[in-house]
Amino acid sequence: MLHEKTIDHLLQIKEIYLEPAVYQMPRGKEILAKYPDAKHIEVASHWKIPELFGFEGSVEDWISNKRNVLILGIKKSLSARANSRSSHWIAPSESNGCTMSCSYCYVPRRKGFANPITIFVNIEQIIRYLQRHAARQGPKLQPDFIDPQYWVYEIGENGDCSADAGICDNVKDMIHAFTKIPNGKLTFATKFVNRELLTYEPQLKTRIRFSLMPHQMSKLVDVRTTPISDRIDVMNEFVEAGYEVNVNFSPIIYYEGWIDDWVVLFEELNDKLNEKTKAQLIAEIIFLTHNEQLHEVNMNWHPKAEEVLWRPEIQEVKYSQTGGRNVRYKRGFKKDLVDTFTDLVELHLPYCKIRYAF
């Protein structure tokens, strides 16, 4: 019996910050009509809202900003960035930010720490760009570990598309568009069960990756997300609805007893997934990276999580592909952890392929 949160549990919009051009856009008009009682606050740019995005001063308002504030803007720079793990390309995003509050999330590192959802209302322009981009790639002639047949586009790098879909039809429109793009497929990871997605008819052209971790750890660090068991409970339904369903074991956090907790999770997958879901299952394995600035903010609102996330004695500095200064488990120690975990997957989930582990 599912008891997952709906989008109405997560979002009660009271204020909408918006660029003036939003009033003229069809998607903008739809969203504003959906929240008729919300206060409108015009801003010159969705990126420049100091009271929301500044590093200072938003800690005490962290959850209320995510629950009560929505930002509407125009996506002005349209480009697809090459990728080499979950997808071939990072698509121009239809949103930015998230209503959930996972204490390890990397997105606030780029965008200021309150980080409510920004929806981009020029979705038709974004889709046209992706159609042109896919057409330029031509047929995908060689299978690879990302996909045997299609060029894959990540649309959820900076948010959670399942939650976005509770606000407007941006995600639905992109899923429908890709059913008609002969050489392309969409992908996004999610920690939120939105059953409305089961009606979208993706025709195996969208890969949804459910993020999973042991239950007790998720309760500590996955703030405002759908419980892990509820994510697992819907995976068979999403396969039946025409999605490719994968899992992200992410982030993997080292602590005393971590292996035993993961085995319990694997046993739940074995018990609940049907043969059709198991046959197409692929895992992406991602160990924790953290960030000193985020650690300092978390100490003001969720210090308990930092007891497992911030472990200087077993972590070292890592510079990200975008130049950010993060920390990860020390190199030799991490290699042992990765080897241990991949062996664990192969032992307990022999049907589950591994796309990558790092």
Side-chain angles (χ1 to χ4, degrees), residues 227-268:
I228 294 292
S229 287
D230 292 350
R231 301 180 210 176
I232 297 172
D233 285 342
V234 298
M235 288 172 61
N236 294 334
E237 291 181 70
F238 272 81
V239 170
E240 284 305 314
Y243 291 89
E244 179 186 355
V245 173
N246 286 185
V247 288
N248 275 6
F249 296 138
S250 165
I252 299 172
I253 299 167
Y254 173 78
Y255 57 92
E256 187 173 347
W258 71 292
I259 291 176
D260 291 341
D261 288 351
W262 276 101
V263 170
V264 170
L265 180 74
F266 294 160
E267 290 173 349
E268 184 173 358

Side-chain angles (χ1 to χ4, degrees), residues 143-325:
D144 56 28
F145 73 96
I146 296 173
D147 195 83
Q149 185 174 0
Y150 299 115
W151 299 112
V152 179
Y153 289 79
E154 170 67 64
I155 61 169
E157 182 188 37
N158 293 319
D160 193 305
C161 291
S162 297
D164 298 342
I167 298 171
C168 69
D169 283 344
N170 274 8
V171 174
K172 183 178 184 179
D173 291 347
M174 296 183 86
I175 288 174
H176 285 178
F178 266 75
T179 64
K180 299 178 177 65
I181 295 177
N183 61 341
K185 174 190 279 186
L186 292 182
T187 188
F188 62 90
T190 185
K191 301 182 182 79
F192 180 67
V193 172
N194 182 348
R195 298 182 67 83
E196 185 66 27
L197 271 66
L198 293 169
T199 69
Y200 286 4
E201 299 181 355
Q203 300 174 32
L204 293 176
K205 297 298 292 295
T206 294
R207 172 189 297 156
I208 186 168
R209 301 164 359 247
F210 285 98
S211 295
L212 303 176
M213 68 166 65
H215 298 280
Q216 289 304 119
M217 184 56 62
S218 177
K219 289 177 182 177
L220 177 64
V221 300
D222 275 358
V223 182
R224 285 168 54 81
T225 64
T226 299
I228 294 292
S229 287
D230 292 350
R231 301 180 210 176
I232 297 172
D233 285 342
V234 298
M235 288 172 61
N236 294 334
E237 291 181 70
F238 272 81
V239 170
E240 284 305 314
Y243 291 89
E244 179 186 355
V245 173
N246 286 185
V247 288
N248 275 6
F249 296 138
S250 165
I252 299 172
I253 299 167
Y254 173 78
Y255 57 92
E256 187 173 347
W258 71 292
I259 291 176
D260 291 341
D261 288 351
W262 276 101
V263 170
V264 170
L265 180 74
F266 294 160
E267 290 173 349
E268 184 173 358
L269 287 167
N270 284 329
D271 290 342
K272 289 182 173 179
L273 300 187
N274 62 30
E275 293 307 312
K276 183 176 180 180
T277 301
K278 290 178 179 178
Q280 53 86 74
L281 195 67
I282 300 177
E284 299 177 2
I285 297 170
I286 307 167
F287 277 75
L288 173 73
T289 64
H290 201 25
N291 173 279
E292 187 170 1
Q293 285 183 306
L294 184 57
H295 164 67
E296 291 170 358
V297 172
N298 285 351
M299 288 301 292
N300 288 308
W301 79 279
H302 194 16
K304 192 73 175 171
E306 289 304 298
E307 294 177 13
V308 295
L309 298 178
W310 188 254
R311 302 281 304 278
E313 73 278 10
I314 56 172
Q315 291 170 326
E316 65 184 5
V317 172
K318 167 188 181 277
Y319 289 94
S320 69
Q321 293 175 337
T322 56
R325 188 178 187 272

